[in-house]
Amino acid sequence: MPDFEPKIVAFVCNWCTYAGADLTGTSRMKYSPQVSIIRFPCTGRIDFMLLLKAFASGADGIIVSGCHPNDCHYSSGNFHARRRWIIFRGLLDFLGIDVRRVQFSWYGRWGRSRATSACAAWA
Amino acid sequence: MARIGVFICHCGENISATVDVGKVAEAAARIPGVAHSVDYKYMCSDPGQQMVQNAIREKNLTGVVVAACSPRMHEPTFRRACAAAGLNPFLCEMANIREHCSWVHEKGDATTEKAIDIVRTLVAKVKKNKALQPIKVPVTKVAMVIGGGIAGIQASLDIANAGHRVILVEREPSIGGHMSQLSETFPTLDCSQCILTPRMVEVAQHANITLHTYSELESLEGFIGNFKARIRKKARSLDEKLCTGCGLCAQKCPTRRIASEFDAGLGLRPAIYVPFPQAVPNKPVIDREHCTYYLKGKCRLCEKVCPTQAIRFDQEDEIVEVDVGAVVLATGFDIKHSDFFPEYGYGKHKDVIDGLQFERLASASGPTLGEMRRPSDGKVPETVVFVACAGSRDPAKGIEYCSKICCMYTAKHAMLYKHKVHHGKPYVFYMDIRAGGKMYEEFVRRAMEEDGVQYVRGRVSRIFERNGKLVVKGADTLLGARPMEIEADMVVLATAGVAQAGAEELAQKLHVSYDAHKFYAEAHPKLRPVETNTAGIFLAGACQAPKDIPESVAQASGAAAKVAALFSQAELVREPLIAVVDRQAPPLYSSCVGCFLCQSACPYQAIEKEEIRGRDGQLLKTVAKVNPGLCQGCGTCVAFCRTKSIDIQGFSHEQVHAEVLALLNRGDRDA
């Protein structure tokens, strides 16, 4: 499917990836318009049922991105998110959703270029 | 029924160049619940804000979506505008169609489509927004300044002179920082110590400043206006109250051959020492790693000679707890040392030194008492090569940035050398000369023209020893890249300025962000250069990026002004984006079942147990309750809650679900 354009939803932390995405804009880097961002105060806030909701509503891929380990603005939210993700992967397997459709990552405030290339690789 | 107003900004051409804003406005008007949709060239301008306010009044709007730049930029602007028109500010949301759309995608239908998606998402969210009241919290009018270099000193003095108490924490035994190590300063060539030490004394004597030297921050908790800091006062092995600073202990100490940190390794110091004569406070510390007593259990000579019996070998680290309202980070920078450079001998040649070592050689208080003698054999160097950009602007070394101060101090070094060794030959290898600043360019010109420093544009490829000389191989790129070889007696590397060791660890304790090079990140690169993203924590000096003295001082005064402004308020207004636990009428009282998973997840201990009792005092139910003063609004508890009883205002279940559905175009069903 060469012209398949996956719809990607990014669930991001306000303090790192959201700011990083702003910086991507300020530095005029490019990525696919198929990626849309939803802001959360912290990856720890992300109820992973939302990911299922997104898949059920037609999302092709999901990015969950928060601060680097130890850099969480709220000290430990990202670790909670990571634990949740480890458990959630089992559920995805059980549901028959390819785990590769979720990309879970840590990006610092300035690491958006990496995030951008990740999006590019996806799309 | 929701009546949402959508305001689409062109941002000049920043948005309208790639997004068809007219189309977005049309599409937005068709979203159920949208009562008003317009586009305008500059929404954040006065007439733009007026448009928003008029629409709120005329169309009786229940919510506002401004599709423009990032909420990090103008959310406060538009929330204020809404409040002025009588709409609760928390019923206003920003749709980020600039940073997240128009700037990162090419012009085209897909980009406009995405802008519409973003607007639809935020409209769906704002429909679920609730009117919130800001939380008022008291302010502790005490500032903590971390780092006692020139930036920390300036910030402390300014805050203290504004009438507020300051706690200054310094890691080393004395305040003064790198500036106290410098010989003379550019562009005026006045003596660094002469201008710095009076300020150090002022800090020590100021009634509003409490000084903690040889101390480090252990932890910081809380939030703007209400931090709790724990400071570890490392054991000096000395009763500071009894010590008079006479210096007998240091004179008699038998362990005398320790490389002095203050002299950048060129001088020696004893195991009990005061870093330099003008140290503040002028009280020694025992270096337990080198002291014979701590290593072998014998000696205690200092104890015997001390006339006031101030030595305390059994002293332990002390933890001091303080309440502070604001923090100024002024931890400064460090430089790369010559052992970082394989091509310059990995630090193996004693006469290849770094800039700070040269400062100590040139300083009247230095190991040579200001005489220009090279470290290896004490001879006066006849030919000295200064290498600028050693490490800086070199992606291969992982340091892409310009260290900013080296062009100037290299010119100064070459000048100082020439002033001390009149017949000497100074060469400077440089890439470009960046002398932006008042009197800076003139200063470099003076070095070239009046003091006869020979500038060679090119980089040094290798330094090696041959017949007792240091051979510097380079090329003069202004003469057709002609290879050059200079036989030098001493080489001074203007090594890159880097973040302090431990900068990352400290940032993690304070939850402030930092860049790839571990320099602390400001909240906005242009408009908020002294604030961090963490409210109540400010930046001063070279911990943010390499800076010279005037810039550090200016920023320190800026940070102090921010702190003074913060302390001028009796109470602070905080955004009410915090967690709340469900409460409802009897018989349920709350859907919370009292499992307290949220309590275990909360990083701020903000969740308390509340007992719901009947009229007769009988315990009906124990449920969770959020302390609004402590909650920071991370929402970790929300994702944990099994019964969805705890929710976070501003990012509630309803809001985020509506966003996801709207983004994927499924939202109309529950509109």
Side-chain angles (χ1 to χ4, degrees):
Chain A
M1 283 190 297
D3 33 337
F4 167 65
E5 289 215 49
K7 181 90 187 155
I8 298 169
V9 185
F11 293 87
V12 307
C13 155
N14 176 43
W15 303 98
C16 53
T17 315
Y18 195 89
D22 279 359
L23 188 77
T24 310
T26 322
S27 33
R28 310 293 197 279
M29 293 185 220
K30 301 285 179 223
Y31 57 86
S32 161
Q34 296 303 314
V35 183
S36 300
I37 290 168
I38 295 184
R39 180 160 80 131
F40 284 83
C42 174
T43 43
R45 160 68 185 91
I46 300 169
D47 180 349
F48 276 45
M49 296 316 278
L50 272 176
L51 272 62
L52 288 186
K53 192 88 166 179
F55 278 132
S57 312
D60 297 305
I62 292 176
I63 296 171
V64 177
S65 176
C67 304
H68 287 283
N70 288 328
D71 283 359
C72 178
H73 183 79
Y74 302 105
S75 76
S76 58
N78 53 356
F79 289 131
H80 289 302
R82 182 168 68 180
R83 287 191 184 180
R84 235 171 259 148
W85 163 232
I86 290 165
I87 296 164
F88 185 68
R89 286 203 313 209
L91 181 62
L92 280 184
D93 261 348
F94 177 75
L95 292 173
I97 298 172
D98 194 332
V99 242
R100 287 174 300 177
R101 287 173 66 183
V102 182
Q103 199 176 69
F104 189 87
S105 49
W106 319 109
Y107 294 115
R109 189 168 128 85
W110 306 89
R112 186 58 193 183
S113 53
R114 279 169 54 208
T116 313
S117 47
C119 297
W122 241 112
Chain B
M1 179 67 195
R3 298 179 56 79
I4 310 295
V6 180
F7 301 87
I8 295 138
C9 180
H10 299 199
C11 194
E13 281 192 338
N14 280 310
I15 292 169
S16 58
T18 49
V19 171
D20 184 341
V21 280
K23 227 175 177 176
V24 178
E26 274 171 40
R30 285 196 299 271
I31 301 172
V34 172
H36 183 73
S37 171
V38 285
D39 59 281
Y40 182 63
K41 205 159 181 76
Y42 292 106
M43 213 43 104
C44 59
S45 68
D46 239 14
Q49 293 189 42
Q50 205 57 51
M51 275 172 75
V52 178
Q53 296 185 349
N54 291 344
I56 291 171
R57 291 194 191 100
E58 285 158 20
K59 305 250 169 145
N60 209 7
L61 298 180
T62 59
V64 165
V65 171
V66 182
C69 48
S70 168
R72 303 172 71 89
M73 184 85 196
H74 271 315
E75 193 177 71
T77 313
F78 289 107
R79 286 195 165 168
R80 265 198 306 274
C82 288
L87 184 73
N88 185 289
F90 296 95
L91 297 175
C92 167
E93 292 282 348
M94 299 283 295
N96 187 346
I97 60 166
R98 192 178 76 172
E99 280 86 344
H100 290 188
C101 187
S102 75
W103 274 355
V104 286
H105 309 312
E106 309 291 347
K107 181 176 180 154
D109 290 342
T111 305
T112 303
E113 208 51 52
K114 179 176 170 186
I116 297 170
D117 281 349
I118 297 175
V119 171
R120 193 176 50 242
T121 305
L122 271 299
V123 168
K125 180 178 185 189
V126 87
K127 279 194 227 164
K128 308 284 183 190
N129 276 20
K130 293 198 172 73
L132 303 176
Q133 297 309 322
I135 301 168
K136 290 190 172 154
V137 286
V139 188
T140 309
K141 294 184 182 177
V142 181
M144 177 167 68
V145 177
I146 305 176
I150 182 60
I153 289 174
Q154 183 69 37
S156 301
L157 286 174
D158 285 349
I159 299 168
N161 287 336
H164 304 294
R165 278 190 48 222
V166 177
I167 293 162
L168 176 56
V169 183
E170 166 60 50
R171 178 165 66 176
E172 301 300 324
S174 166
I175 57 169
H178 282 312
M179 188 176 166
S180 63
Q181 292 176 282
L182 307 183
S183 55
E184 285 165 20
T185 54
F186 59 80
T188 47
L189 290 188
D190 42 8
C191 151
S192 181
Q193 296 244 345
C194 315
I195 52 178
L196 176 68
T197 45
R199 300 225 162 163
M200 289 163 58
V201 174
E202 205 182 329
V203 166
Q205 293 176 345
H206 206 295
N208 280 345
I209 301 179
T210 311
L211 184 58
H212 292 295
T213 50
Y214 210 48
S215 302
E216 285 183 63
L217 183 77
E218 188 78 1
S219 66
L220 185 83
E221 275 158 23
F223 53 92
I224 180 169
N226 297 274
F227 293 108
K228 273 194 190 318
R230 296 175 77 231
I231 301 164
R232 175 179 293 273
K233 274 183 89 86
K234 293 179 277 186
R236 274 181 185 259
S237 315
L238 182 87
D239 187 332
E240 283 181 67
K241 289 194 189 85
L242 292 178
C243 174
T244 59
C246 70
L248 257 181
C249 49
Q251 273 173 30
K252 299 287 179 193
C253 179
T255 314
R256 309 202 64 84
R257 301 196 57 80
I258 305 163
S260 154
E261 294 84 1
F262 182 74
D263 279 333
L266 294 183
L268 299 171
R269 64 160 172 85
I272 182 164
Y273 69 107
V274 175
F276 55 104
Q278 299 91 332
V280 169
N282 187 15
K283 311 264 158 123
V285 294
I286 296 182
D287 172 359
R288 293 191 177 183
E289 273 175 30
H290 293 99
C291 170
T292 317
Y293 173 70
Y294 288 103
L295 293 176
K296 298 186 180 150
K298 273 187 209 156
C299 181
R300 301 178 80 124
L301 195 58
C302 46
E303 194 181 37
K304 285 175 201 120
V305 298
C306 179
T308 57
Q309 280 86 48
I311 306 290
R312 297 280 178 275
F313 283 108
D314 54 352
Q315 197 175 48
E316 284 176 8
D317 290 3
E318 185 193 342
I319 303 284
V320 182
E321 289 191 15
V322 286
D323 288 339
V324 294
V327 179
V328 177
L329 267 176
T331 50
F333 74 111
D334 204 348
I335 57 163
K336 280 276 178 218
H337 300 294
S338 47
D339 55 4
F340 179 65
F341 302 93
E343 66 273 35
Y344 304 152
Y346 267 134
K348 160 177 92 188
H349 310 304
K350 273 191 168 173
D351 294 325
V352 177
I353 59 174
D354 60 48
L356 265 181
Q357 290 176 318
F358 186 88
E359 294 286 348
R360 295 314 301 148
L361 280 188
S363 170
S365 68
T368 59
L369 302 176
E371 274 186 60
M372 197 52 68
R373 294 185 179 279
R374 64 182 196 174
S376 63
D377 51 10
K379 279 192 194 144
V380 176
E382 310 279 323
T383 307
V384 178
V385 173
F386 296 88
V387 182
C389 293
S392 310
R393 300 177 66 197
D394 189 351
K397 291 258 187 291
I399 303 172
E400 302 89 353
Y401 58 87
C402 164
S403 294
K404 199 169 184 183
I405 52 176
C406 335
C407 282
M408 290 307 294
Y409 80 62
T410 297
K412 178 190 76 178
H413 285 174
M415 225 183 223
L416 290 178
Y417 165 69
K418 192 71 185 170
H419 292 177
K420 288 183 190 246
V421 185
H422 299 304
H423 61 282
K425 274 186 279 186
Y427 293 87
V428 174
F429 279 89
Y430 70 101
M431 282 162 79
D432 297 291
I433 295 173
R434 297 183 165 178
K438 201 169 178 177
M439 298 295 290
Y440 284 13
E441 176 64 22
E442 295 91 319
F443 183 79
V444 176
R445 284 270 145 218
R446 210 170 103 202
M448 290 175 183
E449 289 163 11
E450 287 175 29
D451 290 307
V453 180
Q454 196 179 333
Y455 272 71
V456 183
R457 188 178 189 277
R459 300 194 72 173
V460 172
S461 58
R462 243 184 105 198
I463 298 171
F464 56 93
E465 257 176 45
R466 191 170 63 202
N467 306 330
K469 292 271 188 187
L470 287 165
V471 181
V472 179
K473 283 184 85 125
D476 188 337
T477 56
L478 297 182
L479 287 176
R482 192 185 66 185
M484 271 187 87
E485 224 179 73
I486 296 174
E487 293 200 335
D489 300 309
M490 188 166 84
V491 178
V492 183
L493 304 175
T495 52
V498 291
Q500 275 283 8
E504 190 174 16
E505 205 182 311
L506 183 63
Q508 288 169 356
K509 279 180 191 163
L510 298 164
H511 308 302
V512 299
S513 28
Y514 49 92
D515 66 19
H517 301 289
K518 318 273 190 279
F519 286 115
Y520 298 146
E522 61 285 345
H524 188 281
K526 282 177 288 253
L527 299 177
R528 293 171 69 197
V530 305
E531 293 155 88
T532 64
N533 263 328
T534 307
I537 302 185
F538 304 95
L539 298 175
C543 59
Q544 183 197 11
K547 281 196 187 75
D548 59 16
I549 295 166
E551 270 188 81
S552 297
V553 171
Q555 197 189 11
S557 290
K562 289 276 173 200
V563 172
L566 174 68
F567 287 175
S568 68
Q569 302 164 65
E571 50 185 14
L572 286 179
V573 176
R574 269 185 70 212
E575 288 208 328
L577 305 181
I578 57 164
V580 282
V581 182
D582 172 70
R583 283 289 179 277
Q584 48 180 288
L588 209 51
Y589 300 101
S590 166
S591 59
C592 172
V593 294
C595 70
F596 293 103
L597 256 185
C598 47
Q599 201 174 36
S600 65
C602 180
Y604 300 102
Q605 288 81 47
I607 295 181
E608 297 163 357
K609 287 186 179 171
E610 187 187 22
E611 294 178 343
I612 297 177
R613 290 178 185 275
R615 281 189 191 155
D616 51 358
Q618 183 200 359
L619 181 64
L620 298 170
K621 204 170 187 183
T622 307
V623 296
K625 185 187 167 200
V626 176
N627 179 336
L630 294 176
C631 178
Q632 296 294 294
C634 67
T636 304
C637 53
V638 178
F640 259 84
C641 183
R642 290 164 172 169
T643 58
K644 302 266 178 283
S645 301
I646 195 161
D647 210 346
I648 177 164
Q649 305 189 121
F651 294 96
S652 69
H653 288 302
E654 272 197 313
Q655 285 171 310
V656 292
H657 268 97
E659 277 187 272
V660 171
L661 292 176
L663 179 63
L664 296 162
N665 230 337
R666 300 291 173 90
D668 296 356
R669 269 181 284 160
D670 64 355

